[in-house]
Amino acid sequence: MDLDTTIVAVSSPVGRSTKSLVRASGSNAVTGAKKLGLSLVPQQMCTGRLMVRDSALPVMVCMFPAGSSYTGQDTIEIQLPNNQQLVDCVIQQLIEATNGRHAEAGEFTARAFFNGRISLTA
């Protein structure tokens, strides 16, 4: 398992809701979010706008430094309207901005384990 590449995925459950959560974790997560024009304050929810196609999408974003994140790596979470096309666009933009990739199933939790954030029994 590659623990160095920044990973990106939807972190909210599938189903009907008004909001979706997209998470990026890894060494380029913060840099990538800044490349997209998002302002970040550690452990604080901030408002922002992402350009999706020709429109500014209002989002909420939170950044967790490596020492205080679930995965033990720099992590950002972007909350946006739950629309599959918007979510797919934001994921693709984050992957490109972070030079990352789609996360595999369970990879956020695996990183948390390998970085000593959770135990095997958890």
Side-chain angles (χ1 to χ4, degrees), residues 3-107:
L3 298 176
D4 297 323
T5 303
T6 299
I7 54 172
V8 181
V10 174
S11 292
S12 50
V14 176
R16 295 182 136 185
S17 68
T18 58
K19 301 287 182 186
S20 248
L21 186 72
V22 173
R23 179 180 291 157
S25 183
S27 58
N28 293 332
V30 172
T31 305
K34 289 180 180 178
K35 281 183 187 177
L36 295 176
L38 297 172
S39 297
L40 305 171
V41 178
Q43 298 178 326
Q44 221 174 33
M45 188 70 77
C46 300
T47 59
R49 293 196 177 271
L50 280 176
M51 290 307 295
V52 177
R53 297 187 181 115
D54 294 329
S55 300
L57 175 68
V59 297
M60 301 288 288
V61 62
C62 194
M63 187 265 282
F64 301 95
S68 62
S69 75
Y70 172 70
T71 62
Q73 298 175 316
D74 288 342
T75 302
I76 63 155
E77 294 181 345
I78 300 173
Q79 187 182 89
L80 64 151
N82 187 18
N83 174 292
Q84 193 60 52
Q85 291 177 342
L86 291 175
V87 171
D88 291 344
C89 284
V90 170
I91 288 173
Q92 191 57 43
Q93 286 181 329
L94 268 174
I95 287 172
E96 290 171 10
T98 62
N99 196 27
R101 62 175 172 80
H102 287 277
E104 297 174 24
E107 192 167 2

